[in-house]
Amino acid sequence: MRLVIARCSVDYAGRLTAHLPSAPRLILVKADGSVSIHADDRAYKPLNWMSPPCTLKEGDGSVWTVENKGGEKLIITLEEVMHDSSHELGVDPGLIKDGVEAHLQELLADRIETLGEGYSLIRREYPTAIGPVDILCRDADNQTVAVEIKRRGEIDGVEQLTRYLELLNRDPHLAPVKGVFAAQEIKPQARVLATDRGIGCVVLDYDALRGIEDDKLRLF
């Protein structure tokens, strides 16, 4: 991973146009090819980014051009570089999930038809360049469905699923891929964001999936 702290301006050219005026920022260049630009007041969320696969051309050193296969570009103009270092992080062992969350995934995969009649499992932990999708399956119309499972569904889970969907929909063997956000509890803000992005929400009943109570999922 390469970490660059620099005063820079950023222009995005693609489906939309966007401009970040000059300011000190952190630029992350990761081994998977992604490039993201961060401020000091936005928690984990970048101001702008380019997901892999993409290419970075540094030009004369003061202008970086990041371009993906779709022709979208991030143009980063460096005015002053305050820090530039690279670090080898190695292979990440991955997230060790909460026991209930992991068990929800296992139960839902075993009983995938509870999402709807005609659903069939492709696999659990479907690998992508940015991490595994909890469940990948197909619905009755043979459309690919990516399912993200949380114990408590919040906005960051919807953002995570959105990134998976963006990547999966680039694969012609899977596209079009729709999303389902599944959790034991879904926060109102997360539901609004998911609905706005065309992502379905499913409230999971842990006991029902275990066969202790009525084994229905409430779809909203």
Side-chain angles (χ1 to χ4, degrees), residues 78-181:
L78 305 175
E79 300 166 14
E80 178 187 3
V81 177
M82 293 164 269
H83 177 85
D84 188 345
S85 64
S86 296
H87 308 270
E88 179 59 56
L89 302 185
V91 178
D92 190 89
L95 177 67
I96 299 174
K97 295 189 176 182
D98 173 85
V100 173
E101 188 175 303
H103 198 206
L104 281 170
Q105 183 193 119
E106 181 181 351
L107 289 169
L108 188 57
D110 287 343
R111 306 175 68 185
I112 197 66
E113 70 282 354
T114 54
L115 285 176
E117 185 177 353
Y119 271 71
S120 59
L121 179 69
I122 297 175
R123 68 167 290 176
R124 291 171 55 195
E125 299 288 338
Y126 186 87
T128 76
I130 57 174
V133 178
D134 285 337
I135 290 178
L136 198 70
C137 57
R138 294 192 186 278
D139 65 12
D141 298 321
N142 205 39
Q143 182 174 355
T144 309
V145 182
V147 184
E148 180 64 26
I149 300 172
K150 300 292 184 185
R151 185 171 63 176
R152 176 177 294 179
E154 302 190 64
I155 284 177
D156 58 348
V158 179
E159 295 283 7
Q160 182 180 359
L161 179 54
T162 300
R163 292 191 293 271
Y164 287 144
L165 290 171
E166 180 183 355
L167 196 61
L168 291 169
N169 273 300
R170 296 178 187 176
D171 186 339
H173 299 292
L174 298 176
V177 183
K178 65 181 182 180
V180 170
F181 187 51

Side-chain angles (χ1 to χ4, degrees), residues 36-83:
S36 56
I37 298 98
H38 298 258
D40 205 18
D41 63 346
R42 301 296 177 92
Y44 64 90
K45 188 174 182 180
L47 296 167
N48 215 326
W49 69 93
M50 190 71 76
S51 301
C54 57
T55 57
L56 167 61
K57 296 180 180 178
E58 296 193 31
D60 62 1
S62 62
V63 178
W64 292 8
T65 301
V66 187
E67 183 173 3
N68 65 17
K69 289 185 176 180
E72 298 170 300
K73 294 181 180 180
L74 275 182
I75 300 171
I76 306 170
T77 302
L78 305 175
E79 300 166 14
E80 178 187 3
V81 177
M82 293 164 269
H83 177 85

